[in-house]
PDB file of all heavy atoms in Angstrom:
ATOM      1  N   TYR O   1      95.829 140.408  32.101  1.00 97.00           N
ATOM      2  CA  TYR O   1      95.637 139.189  31.306  1.00 97.00           C
ATOM      3  C   TYR O   1      94.634 138.246  31.980  1.00 97.00           C
ATOM      4  O   TYR O   1      94.821 137.857  33.130  1.00 97.00           O
ATOM      5  CB  TYR O   1      96.998 138.513  31.123  1.00 97.00           C
ATOM      6  CG  TYR O   1      96.975 137.092  30.631  1.00 97.00           C
ATOM      7  CD1 TYR O   1      96.429 136.757  29.395  1.00 97.00           C
ATOM      8  CD2 TYR O   1      97.547 136.069  31.395  1.00 97.00           C
ATOM      9  CE1 TYR O   1      96.441 135.442  28.942  1.00 97.00           C
ATOM     10  CE2 TYR O   1      97.572 134.763  30.937  1.00 97.00           C
ATOM     11  CZ  TYR O   1      97.005 134.447  29.716  1.00 97.00           C
ATOM     12  OH  TYR O   1      97.025 133.156  29.274  1.00 97.00           O
ATOM     13  N   CYS O   2      93.569 137.939  31.268  1.00 96.00           N
ATOM     14  CA  CYS O   2      92.498 137.072  31.775  1.00 96.00           C
ATOM     15  C   CYS O   2      91.931 137.593  33.088  1.00 96.00           C
ATOM     16  O   CYS O   2      91.487 136.801  33.948  1.00 96.00           O
ATOM     17  CB  CYS O   2      92.981 135.642  31.953  1.00 96.00           C
ATOM     18  SG  CYS O   2      93.437 134.824  30.415  1.00 96.00           S
ATOM     19  N   GLY O   3      91.928 138.889  33.249  1.00 94.00           N
ATOM     20  CA  GLY O   3      91.498 139.485  34.512  1.00 94.00           C
ATOM     21  C   GLY O   3      90.021 139.416  34.784  1.00 94.00           C
ATOM     22  O   GLY O   3      89.574 139.750  35.883  1.00 94.00           O
ATOM     23  N   SER O   4      89.230 138.984  33.798  1.00 92.00           N
ATOM     24  CA  SER O   4      87.783 138.928  33.993  1.00 92.00           C
ATOM     25  C   SER O   4      87.316 137.648  34.670  1.00 92.00           C
ATOM     26  O   SER O   4      86.139 137.490  34.954  1.00 92.00           O
ATOM     27  CB  SER O   4      87.073 139.063  32.641  1.00 92.00           C
ATOM     28  OG  SER O   4      87.422 137.980  31.790  1.00 92.00           O
ATOM     29  N   GLY O   5      88.238 136.717  34.923  1.00 90.00           N
ATOM     30  CA  GLY O   5      87.838 135.442  35.516  1.00 90.00           C
ATOM     31  C   GLY O   5      88.940 134.841  36.362  1.00 90.00           C
ATOM     32  O   GLY O   5      89.938 135.496  36.697  1.00 90.00           O
ATOM     33  N   ASP O   6      88.768 133.578  36.692  1.00 93.00           N
ATOM     34  CA  ASP O   6      89.704 132.879  37.561  1.00 93.00           C
ATOM     35  C   ASP O   6      90.793 132.196  36.739  1.00 93.00           C
ATOM     36  O   ASP O   6      90.959 130.970  36.762  1.00 93.00           O
ATOM     37  CB  ASP O   6      88.953 131.846  38.412  1.00 93.00           C
ATOM     38  CG  ASP O   6      87.918 132.508  39.301  1.00 93.00           C
ATOM     39  OD1 ASP O   6      88.158 133.654  39.723  1.00 93.00           O
ATOM     40  OD2 ASP O   6      86.876 131.887  39.569  1.00 93.00           O
ATOM     41  N   ALA O   7      91.539 132.994  35.998  1.00 94.00           N
ATOM     42  CA  ALA O   7      92.620 132.480  35.156  1.00 94.00           C
ATOM     43  C   ALA O   7      93.650 133.583  35.000  1.00 94.00           C
ATOM     44  O   ALA O   7      93.418 134.739  35.374  1.00 94.00           O
ATOM     45  CB  ALA O   7      92.087 132.044  33.789  1.00 94.00           C
ATOM     46  N   GLY O   8      94.810 133.205  34.430  1.00 96.00           N
ATOM     47  CA  GLY O   8      95.836 134.199  34.169  1.00 96.00           C
ATOM     48  C   GLY O   8      96.196 135.011  35.401  1.00 96.00           C
ATOM     49  O   GLY O   8      96.359 134.488  36.499  1.00 96.00           O
ATOM     50  N   ALA O   9      96.304 136.324  35.223  1.00 97.00           N
ATOM     51  CA  ALA O   9      96.687 137.213  36.311  1.00 97.00           C
ATOM     52  C   ALA O   9      95.501 137.663  37.154  1.00 97.00           C
ATOM     53  O   ALA O   9      95.698 138.372  38.157  1.00 97.00           O
ATOM     54  CB  ALA O   9      97.395 138.447  35.732  1.00 97.00           C
ATOM     55  N   GLY O  10      94.288 137.246  36.780  1.00 96.00           N
ATOM     56  CA  GLY O  10      93.090 137.743  37.447  1.00 96.00           C
ATOM     57  C   GLY O  10      93.064 137.578  38.953  1.00 96.00           C
ATOM     58  O   GLY O  10      92.959 138.563  39.697  1.00 96.00           O
ATOM     59  N   PRO O  11      93.138 136.340  39.491  1.00 97.00           N
ATOM     60  CA  PRO O  11      93.041 136.168  40.940  1.00 97.00           C
ATOM     61  C   PRO O  11      94.141 136.880  41.722  1.00 97.00           C
ATOM     62  O   PRO O  11      93.867 137.507  42.749  1.00 97.00           O
ATOM     63  CB  PRO O  11      93.122 134.646  41.111  1.00 97.00           C
ATOM     64  CG  PRO O  11      92.620 134.094  39.818  1.00 97.00           C
ATOM     65  CD  PRO O  11      93.123 135.049  38.784  1.00 97.00           C
ATOM     66  N   ALA O  12      95.391 136.779  41.255  1.00 97.00           N
ATOM     67  CA  ALA O  12      96.484 137.439  41.974  1.00 97.00           C
ATOM     68  C   ALA O  12      96.318 138.954  41.942  1.00 97.00           C
ATOM     69  O   ALA O  12      96.593 139.641  42.937  1.00 97.00           O
ATOM     70  CB  ALA O  12      97.829 137.041  41.375  1.00 97.00           C
ATOM     71  N   PHE O  13      95.866 139.499  40.816  1.00 97.00           N
ATOM     72  CA  PHE O  13      95.625 140.942  40.732  1.00 97.00           C
ATOM     73  C   PHE O  13      94.518 141.342  41.705  1.00 97.00           C
ATOM     74  O   PHE O  13      94.624 142.370  42.386  1.00 97.00           O
ATOM     75  CB  PHE O  13      95.246 141.336  39.306  1.00 97.00           C
ATOM     76  CG  PHE O  13      95.001 142.811  39.141  1.00 97.00           C
ATOM     77  CD1 PHE O  13      96.075 143.683  38.962  1.00 97.00           C
ATOM     78  CD2 PHE O  13      93.722 143.337  39.174  1.00 97.00           C
ATOM     79  CE1 PHE O  13      95.863 145.048  38.825  1.00 97.00           C
ATOM     80  CE2 PHE O  13      93.501 144.695  39.041  1.00 97.00           C
ATOM     81  CZ  PHE O  13      94.571 145.557  38.859  1.00 97.00           C
ATOM     82  N   ASP O  14      93.464 140.528  41.791  1.00 97.00           N
ATOM     83  CA  ASP O  14      92.375 140.834  42.725  1.00 97.00           C
ATOM     84  C   ASP O  14      92.881 140.866  44.161  1.00 97.00           C
ATOM     85  O   ASP O  14      92.410 141.672  44.968  1.00 97.00           O
ATOM     86  CB  ASP O  14      91.261 139.797  42.590  1.00 97.00           C
ATOM     87  CG  ASP O  14      90.491 139.930  41.285  1.00 97.00           C
ATOM     88  OD1 ASP O  14      90.588 141.002  40.653  1.00 97.00           O
ATOM     89  OD2 ASP O  14      89.806 138.969  40.899  1.00 97.00           O
ATOM     90  N   PHE O  15      93.824 139.982  44.480  1.00 97.00           N
ATOM     91  CA  PHE O  15      94.333 139.944  45.848  1.00 97.00           C
ATOM     92  C   PHE O  15      95.243 141.135  46.136  1.00 97.00           C
ATOM     93  O   PHE O  15      95.147 141.760  47.207  1.00 97.00           O
ATOM     94  CB  PHE O  15      95.096 138.637  46.090  1.00 97.00           C
ATOM     95  CG  PHE O  15      95.686 138.534  47.467  1.00 97.00           C
ATOM     96  CD1 PHE O  15      94.916 138.131  48.532  1.00 97.00           C
ATOM     97  CD2 PHE O  15      97.018 138.869  47.698  1.00 97.00           C
ATOM     98  CE1 PHE O  15      95.450 138.056  49.828  1.00 97.00           C
ATOM     99  CE2 PHE O  15      97.559 138.798  48.973  1.00 97.00           C
ATOM    100  CZ  PHE O  15      96.775 138.387  50.041  1.00 97.00           C
ATOM    101  N   TYR O  16      96.137 141.466  45.203  1.00 97.00           N
ATOM    102  CA  TYR O  16      97.158 142.478  45.478  1.00 97.00           C
ATOM    103  C   TYR O  16      96.732 143.903  45.132  1.00 97.00           C
ATOM    104  O   TYR O  16      97.257 144.858  45.729  1.00 97.00           O
ATOM    105  CB  TYR O  16      98.440 142.146  44.706  1.00 97.00           C
ATOM    106  CG  TYR O  16      99.249 141.033  45.324  1.00 97.00           C
ATOM    107  CD1 TYR O  16      99.250 139.765  44.777  1.00 97.00           C
ATOM    108  CD2 TYR O  16     100.013 141.257  46.462  1.00 97.00           C
ATOM    109  CE1 TYR O  16     100.000 138.736  45.336  1.00 97.00           C
ATOM    110  CE2 TYR O  16     100.767 140.243  47.042  1.00 97.00           C
ATOM    111  CZ  TYR O  16     100.747 138.993  46.474  1.00 97.00           C
ATOM    112  OH  TYR O  16     101.489 137.973  47.039  1.00 97.00           O
ATOM    113  N   SER O  17      95.842 144.099  44.186  1.00 95.00           N
ATOM    114  CA  SER O  17      95.555 145.449  43.695  1.00 95.00           C
ATOM    115  C   SER O  17      95.061 146.417  44.769  1.00 95.00           C
ATOM    116  O   SER O  17      95.371 147.621  44.678  1.00 95.00           O
ATOM    117  CB  SER O  17      94.560 145.390  42.531  1.00 95.00           C
ATOM    118  OG  SER O  17      93.356 144.766  42.918  1.00 95.00           O
ATOM    119  N   PRO O  18      94.300 145.973  45.800  1.00 94.00           N
ATOM    120  CA  PRO O  18      93.893 146.954  46.821  1.00 94.00           C
ATOM    121  C   PRO O  18      95.066 147.647  47.504  1.00 94.00           C
ATOM    122  O   PRO O  18      94.925 148.772  48.003  1.00 94.00           O
ATOM    123  CB  PRO O  18      93.092 146.101  47.820  1.00 94.00           C
ATOM    124  CG  PRO O  18      92.547 144.974  46.999  1.00 94.00           C
ATOM    125  CD  PRO O  18      93.634 144.670  46.012  1.00 94.00           C
ATOM    126  N   ARG O  19      96.248 147.013  47.522  1.00 94.00           N
ATOM    127  CA  ARG O  19      97.419 147.644  48.143  1.00 94.00           C
ATOM    128  C   ARG O  19      97.907 148.851  47.345  1.00 94.00           C
ATOM    129  O   ARG O  19      98.565 149.741  47.901  1.00 94.00           O
ATOM    130  CB  ARG O  19      98.578 146.646  48.242  1.00 94.00           C
ATOM    131  CG  ARG O  19      98.286 145.384  49.031  1.00 94.00           C
ATOM    132  CD  ARG O  19      99.540 144.522  49.120  1.00 94.00           C
ATOM    133  NE  ARG O  19      99.287 143.243  49.767  1.00 94.00           N
ATOM    134  CZ  ARG O  19     100.229 142.339  50.019  1.00 94.00           C
ATOM    135  NH1 ARG O  19     101.489 142.587  49.667  1.00 94.00           N
ATOM    136  NH2 ARG O  19      99.921 141.200  50.599  1.00 94.00           N
ATOM    137  N   TYR O  20      97.595 148.882  46.056  1.00 94.00           N
ATOM    138  CA  TYR O  20      98.179 149.903  45.174  1.00 94.00           C
ATOM    139  C   TYR O  20      97.160 150.953  44.734  1.00 94.00           C
ATOM    140  O   TYR O  20      97.532 151.943  44.097  1.00 94.00           O
ATOM    141  CB  TYR O  20      98.809 149.213  43.957  1.00 94.00           C
ATOM    142  CG  TYR O  20      99.872 148.221  44.376  1.00 94.00           C
ATOM    143  CD1 TYR O  20      99.584 146.866  44.475  1.00 94.00           C
ATOM    144  CD2 TYR O  20     101.152 148.645  44.721  1.00 94.00           C
ATOM    145  CE1 TYR O  20     100.542 145.947  44.885  1.00 94.00           C
ATOM    146  CE2 TYR O  20     102.120 147.743  45.136  1.00 94.00           C
ATOM    147  CZ  TYR O  20     101.810 146.396  45.214  1.00 94.00           C
ATOM    148  OH  TYR O  20     102.760 145.497  45.641  1.00 94.00           O
ATOM    149  N   ASP O  21      95.909 150.721  45.054  1.00 92.00           N
ATOM    150  CA  ASP O  21      94.873 151.745  44.855  1.00 92.00           C
ATOM    151  C   ASP O  21      94.834 152.287  43.431  1.00 92.00           C
ATOM    152  O   ASP O  21      94.816 153.505  43.206  1.00 92.00           O
ATOM    153  CB  ASP O  21      95.091 152.896  45.852  1.00 92.00           C
ATOM    154  CG  ASP O  21      93.865 153.785  45.984  1.00 92.00           C
ATOM    155  OD1 ASP O  21      92.751 153.272  45.779  1.00 92.00           O
ATOM    156  OD2 ASP O  21      94.021 154.975  46.286  1.00 92.00           O
ATOM    157  N   PHE O  22      94.818 151.389  42.445  1.00 94.00           N
ATOM    158  CA  PHE O  22      94.665 151.831  41.067  1.00 94.00           C
ATOM    159  C   PHE O  22      93.232 152.332  40.847  1.00 94.00           C
ATOM    160  O   PHE O  22      92.286 151.742  41.367  1.00 94.00           O
ATOM    161  CB  PHE O  22      94.944 150.689  40.093  1.00 94.00           C
ATOM    162  CG  PHE O  22      96.354 150.185  40.120  1.00 94.00           C
ATOM    163  CD1 PHE O  22      96.643 148.900  40.583  1.00 94.00           C
ATOM    164  CD2 PHE O  22      97.408 150.985  39.692  1.00 94.00           C
ATOM    165  CE1 PHE O  22      97.950 148.431  40.616  1.00 94.00           C
ATOM    166  CE2 PHE O  22      98.719 150.524  39.727  1.00 94.00           C
ATOM    167  CZ  PHE O  22      98.989 149.247  40.196  1.00 94.00           C
ATOM    168  N   PRO O  23      93.060 153.412  40.092  1.00 93.00           N
ATOM    169  CA  PRO O  23      91.700 153.879  39.797  1.00 93.00           C
ATOM    170  C   PRO O  23      90.890 152.769  39.123  1.00 93.00           C
ATOM    171  O   PRO O  23      91.380 152.105  38.210  1.00 93.00           O
ATOM    172  CB  PRO O  23      91.921 155.059  38.844  1.00 93.00           C
ATOM    173  CG  PRO O  23      93.325 155.505  39.113  1.00 93.00           C
ATOM    174  CD  PRO O  23      94.088 154.276  39.465  1.00 93.00           C
ATOM    175  N   VAL O  24      89.680 152.575  39.576  1.00 92.00           N
ATOM    176  CA  VAL O  24      88.841 151.484  39.051  1.00 92.00           C
ATOM    177  C   VAL O  24      88.681 151.601  37.546  1.00 92.00           C
ATOM    178  O   VAL O  24      88.752 150.600  36.817  1.00 92.00           O
ATOM    179  CB  VAL O  24      87.462 151.493  39.745  1.00 92.00           C
ATOM    180  CG1 VAL O  24      86.554 150.432  39.123  1.00 92.00           C
ATOM    181  CG2 VAL O  24      87.608 151.255  41.235  1.00 92.00           C
ATOM    182  N   GLU O  25      88.485 152.816  37.045  1.00 94.00           N
ATOM    183  CA  GLU O  25      88.247 153.015  35.619  1.00 94.00           C
ATOM    184  C   GLU O  25      89.497 152.767  34.772  1.00 94.00           C
ATOM    185  O   GLU O  25      89.407 152.643  33.537  1.00 94.00           O
ATOM    186  CB  GLU O  25      87.717 154.425  35.354  1.00 94.00           C
ATOM    187  CG  GLU O  25      88.687 155.557  35.669  1.00 94.00           C
ATOM    188  CD  GLU O  25      88.705 155.960  37.130  1.00 94.00           C
ATOM    189  OE1 GLU O  25      88.052 155.271  37.947  1.00 94.00           O
ATOM    190  OE2 GLU O  25      89.369 156.966  37.452  1.00 94.00           O
ATOM    191  N   SER O  26      90.663 152.680  35.407  1.00 96.00           N
ATOM    192  CA  SER O  26      91.899 152.476  34.655  1.00 96.00           C
ATOM    193  C   SER O  26      92.231 151.002  34.446  1.00 96.00           C
ATOM    194  O   SER O  26      93.142 150.673  33.694  1.00 96.00           O
ATOM    195  CB  SER O  26      93.077 153.142  35.373  1.00 96.00           C
ATOM    196  OG  SER O  26      93.391 152.439  36.565  1.00 96.00           O
ATOM    197  N   VAL O  27      91.500 150.109  35.123  1.00 96.00           N
ATOM    198  CA  VAL O  27      91.787 148.676  35.053  1.00 96.00           C
ATOM    199  C   VAL O  27      90.988 148.041  33.919  1.00 96.00           C
ATOM    200  O   VAL O  27      89.759 148.126  33.882  1.00 96.00           O
ATOM    201  CB  VAL O  27      91.459 147.978  36.388  1.00 96.00           C
ATOM    202  CG1 VAL O  27      91.701 146.470  36.264  1.00 96.00           C
ATOM    203  CG2 VAL O  27      92.306 148.566  37.514  1.00 96.00           C
ATOM    204  N   ILE O  28      91.693 147.439  32.976  1.00 96.00           N
ATOM    205  CA  ILE O  28      91.066 146.726  31.858  1.00 96.00           C
ATOM    206  C   ILE O  28      91.240 145.228  32.107  1.00 96.00           C
ATOM    207  O   ILE O  28      92.355 144.715  32.090  1.00 96.00           O
ATOM    208  CB  ILE O  28      91.704 147.101  30.517  1.00 96.00           C
ATOM    209  CG1 ILE O  28      91.616 148.612  30.296  1.00 96.00           C
ATOM    210  CG2 ILE O  28      91.045 146.342  29.370  1.00 96.00           C
ATOM    211  CD1 ILE O  28      92.482 149.098  29.141  1.00 96.00           C
TER     212      ILE O  28
END
C-alpha cells in the first residue's frame, strides 16, 4: 500500500523487506 513513495506501508517495507528477501519482481 502506497509503496511507491513515502506514505502508507512504503517506508517500513523498504526498511524491513531486505530481511525477508522477497523476489524483486514479486513486489508491487
Side-chain angles (χ1 to χ4, degrees):
Y1 166 61
C2 295
S4 62
D6 299 328
F13 181 82
D14 289 342
F15 178 82
Y16 283 104
S17 58
R19 302 183 185 183
Y20 302 98
D21 196 28
F22 295 113
V24 176
E25 65 277 7
S26 70
V27 177
I28 303 168

